[in-house]
Amino acid sequence: MPQTPLPPALHDALVQLLGPSGVLTNPADTEAFCVDWRALYHGRCAAVLRPANTEECAKAIALCHAHNVPMVPQGGNTSMVGGATPDSSGHAVVISTTRMNQIHSIDHADLTMTVDAGVTLKAAQDAASAQGLLLPLSISSEGSADIGGILATNAGGNNTVRYGNARELALGLEAVLPDGSVLNLMRKLRKDNTGYALRQLLVGSEGTLGIITQAVIQLQPAPRSRETALCAVESPKGALDLFAAFRKQDPSAIHAFEYMSGTSMALVNSLIEGAALPLEAPAPAYVLVELASPRADDSLRTLMEYVLGTALEDGLVTDAVLAESESQRQGLWMIREEHAEAQKRAGASVKNDVSVPLAAIPTFIEEATKACEALIPGIRVAPFGHIGDGNIHFNLVQPEGADAAAFLAQDHAMMDAVAEIVRKLGGSFSAEHGVGQLKTYMMPSWRGGAELQTMRRIKAALDPQNLMNPGKVLPPA
């Protein structure tokens, strides 16, 4: 028998249930499941469990519950806040949903898709596209992030400005609770006013209340026309004013509206192969705007040219390029999607996933930049993100040549400096990445009192032994 902290009876029962390939105990096999994408957290686990369906998942969880073994749900392991990484004790099991990867149905009448939790977002998007439909959620990690994790973290992404976060796209779901019981909420109803909205409780709970195993996702008709442009602007205020100009003409046409700082764009251009800036000169800031419609006419091009033409005349936009083909459109999006990777290659970084009211975005970026530059001379302030819905990834990259460990040792000081400005402006310290284990220390001051106590009561009611993803979201009592 492999050397593992699991009780022998539990190990044997899990192997009998999931098969030898469904229970990984060799450290060489489990290591990748114990490190987060940013390599900030390095944990250990007793085993990685890989159920192939809901029944296996429920039975495995029931066995772990009976033996008082902690469980860490994990999908594509793309968390930015260590939300799917076990601690260093080695007592927990990681429950991976990657083998639960079936697309069960696509309903054209209801415009829904029924999928397993382990289906990657990209696979779900492709399946919808093949039938002339659109799964409107889009994030940079969609090739590896899966549906269960996306719902568990209430992911947002590029198209939130038009379609909302994952929460708005989930009509129904199925989840296994910490004791192994299965909660079946797989309804396709738009209206269902019968008791508490339990699915909304599970969406965004970051695996602390149960493991999502299936979902019913809302789809949309696929766009038949798109117009995409990369624009140079002088400031965050200029970006926000451009958004207002598009929204004034036709808010329903805006598919995405993304902000990129000059510093962040410079990192992409220098560190990502093939990501050359398609404008005449660098600018202080940039906007990627995409308009989309299920209509196959040219009205979007007329709208894009009118708004940008007026913005160029008024000096709101200093330069712009419009995609003339699908390959050019994908090239513009590639530039936007590589910002996180470029910052990773540039060295250690501290990520602040925050949101503020739209009108406060310019003030936030200006004041937070000054605060961080005063705190750490030479720091590279590289914000980017979903300015159309108020969500800015206010990322801080170590000074060139600085010691990465020394820089990261000051992460709380940087996060707190940014958070205080966010608080003053009426925002949130966690917009779409969640709390995980990175930001639990912030919860008492931001969500204290009755709000945090209510969260603790819900957790205690569903998971009294604190076995499901312990150490995430809620700080120690």
Side-chain angles (χ1 to χ4, degrees):
M1 180 182 296
Q3 294 298 313
T4 171
L6 290 178
L10 174 59
H11 175 271
D12 291 347
L14 288 170
V15 171
Q16 183 176 7
L17 172 66
L18 305 177
S21 63
V23 182
L24 308 179
T25 56
N26 189 317
D29 297 325
T30 63
E31 182 179 4
F33 296 86
C34 296
V35 181
D36 69 306
W37 182 81
R38 296 174 61 194
L40 293 180
Y41 298 97
H42 299 258
R44 295 171 54 238
C45 67
V48 174
L49 309 184
R50 303 172 64 235
N53 52 53
T54 300
E55 182 181 5
E56 288 186 0
C57 185
K59 290 180 178 179
I61 288 175
L63 285 169
C64 292
H65 180 269
H67 286 81
N68 207 38
V69 173
M71 295 163 276
V72 178
Q74 187 177 109
N77 198 19
T78 61
S79 174
M80 292 286 191
V81 292
T85 307
D87 63 21
S88 59
S89 69
H91 296 150
V93 296
V94 171
I95 301 182
S96 170
T97 59
T98 54
R99 292 177 67 196
M100 302 168 62
N101 55 13
Q102 298 300 306
I103 297 174
H104 295 283
S105 65
I106 293 177
D107 189 323
H108 285 259
D110 278 320
L111 286 180
T112 60
M113 167 184 282
T114 301
V115 296
D116 284 347
V119 173
T120 66
L121 178 55
K122 183 64 166 61
Q125 289 171 338
D126 289 346
S129 178
Q131 298 204 26
L133 299 172
L134 172 72
L135 199 169
L137 191 72
S138 178
I139 58 178
S140 58
S141 60
E142 58 198 30
S144 50
D146 66 24
I147 296 296
I150 284 166
L151 292 174
T153 57
N154 188 28
N158 305 326
N159 299 335
T160 296
V161 65
R162 181 160 173 177
Y163 300 105
N165 285 357
R167 185 183 304 281
E168 282 72 40
L169 300 178
L171 271 184
L173 57 79
E174 174 190 76
V176 181
L177 300 180
D179 63 356
S181 57
V182 178
L183 185 63
N184 189 334
L185 308 171
M186 293 288 286
R187 295 182 279 271
K188 297 181 180 181
L189 304 175
R190 263 70 175 182
K191 292 184 176 181
D192 184 10
N193 225 4
T194 50
Y196 303 131
L198 296 179
R199 79 174 187 275
Q200 300 295 10
L201 182 63
L202 288 162
V203 174
S205 66
E206 300 187 46
T208 61
L209 303 179
I211 298 180
I212 294 171
T213 51
Q214 284 192 23
V216 179
I217 305 297
Q218 296 188 65
L219 304 177
Q220 296 289 333
R224 298 174 66 192
S225 58
R226 297 181 193 257
E227 294 294 337
T228 308
L230 179 67
C231 312
V233 294
E234 289 296 322
S235 66
K237 183 180 185 305
L240 191 61
D241 288 345
L242 183 61
F243 176 69
F246 275 104
R247 189 168 59 177
K248 182 178 180 180
Q249 293 299 318
D250 186 357
S252 68
I254 302 172
H255 202 244
F257 199 90
E258 297 290 295
Y259 171 82
M260 295 157 282
S261 65
T263 299
S264 189
M265 180 69 86
L267 292 176
V268 172
N269 295 157
S270 63
L271 298 175
I272 302 298
E273 184 179 355
L277 181 68
L279 299 173
E280 289 187 2
Y286 305 86
V287 165
L288 180 65
V289 57
E290 182 162 281
L291 310 178
S293 171
R295 301 187 307 271
D297 56 37
D298 62 357
S299 61
L300 291 183
R301 172 54 69 110
T302 301
L303 174 60
M304 181 74 83
E305 291 178 344
Y306 173 76
V307 174
L308 291 185
T310 302
L312 284 163
E313 290 176 1
D314 294 342
L316 186 59
V317 169
T318 58
D319 195 6
V321 59
L322 276 67
E324 298 293 347
S325 66
E326 178 61 20
S327 63
Q328 289 183 11
R329 172 184 171 270
Q330 291 179 7
L332 295 181
W333 270 108
M334 186 270 281
I335 292 173
R336 162 59 184 88
E337 297 293 3
E338 292 292 347
H339 279 250
E341 179 62 28
Q343 291 177 13
K344 185 177 182 181
R345 295 182 186 183
S349 65
V350 171
K351 299 184 180 298
N352 295 279
D353 166 49
V354 302
S355 60
V356 295
L358 291 186
I361 289 173
T363 300
F364 162 67
I365 293 178
E366 179 183 358
E367 292 190 7
T369 297
K370 289 179 180 177
C372 293
E373 289 177 344
L375 188 65
I376 301 180
I379 194 171
R380 289 174 284 181
V381 180
F384 68 95
H386 320 301
I387 193 171
D389 58 49
N391 175 198
I392 298 295
H393 301 301
F394 194 80
N395 294 350
L396 306 168
V397 182
Q398 69 175 69
E400 291 190 67
D403 179 73
F407 178 76
L408 291 176
Q410 302 178 74
D411 62 345
H412 280 200
M414 289 180 271
M415 291 166 62
D416 291 344
V418 172
E420 283 310 304
I421 296 167
V422 172
R423 188 197 301 270
K424 180 182 71 174
L425 296 172
S428 170
F429 72 92
S430 178
E432 66 175 357
H433 291 166
V435 176
Q437 57 186 301
L438 176 66
K439 300 182 179 181
T440 54
Y441 81 96
M442 291 182 166
M443 289 292 282
S445 64
W446 280 79
R447 297 290 184 262
E451 187 172 2
L452 182 56
Q453 184 60 29
T454 300
M455 293 183 197
R456 292 191 189 280
R457 288 172 178 169
I458 293 170
K459 172 70 170 174
L462 294 180
D463 186 16
Q465 296 169 239
N466 191 29
L467 296 179
M468 192 62 71
N469 217 9
K472 315 299 175 19
V473 182
L474 301 178

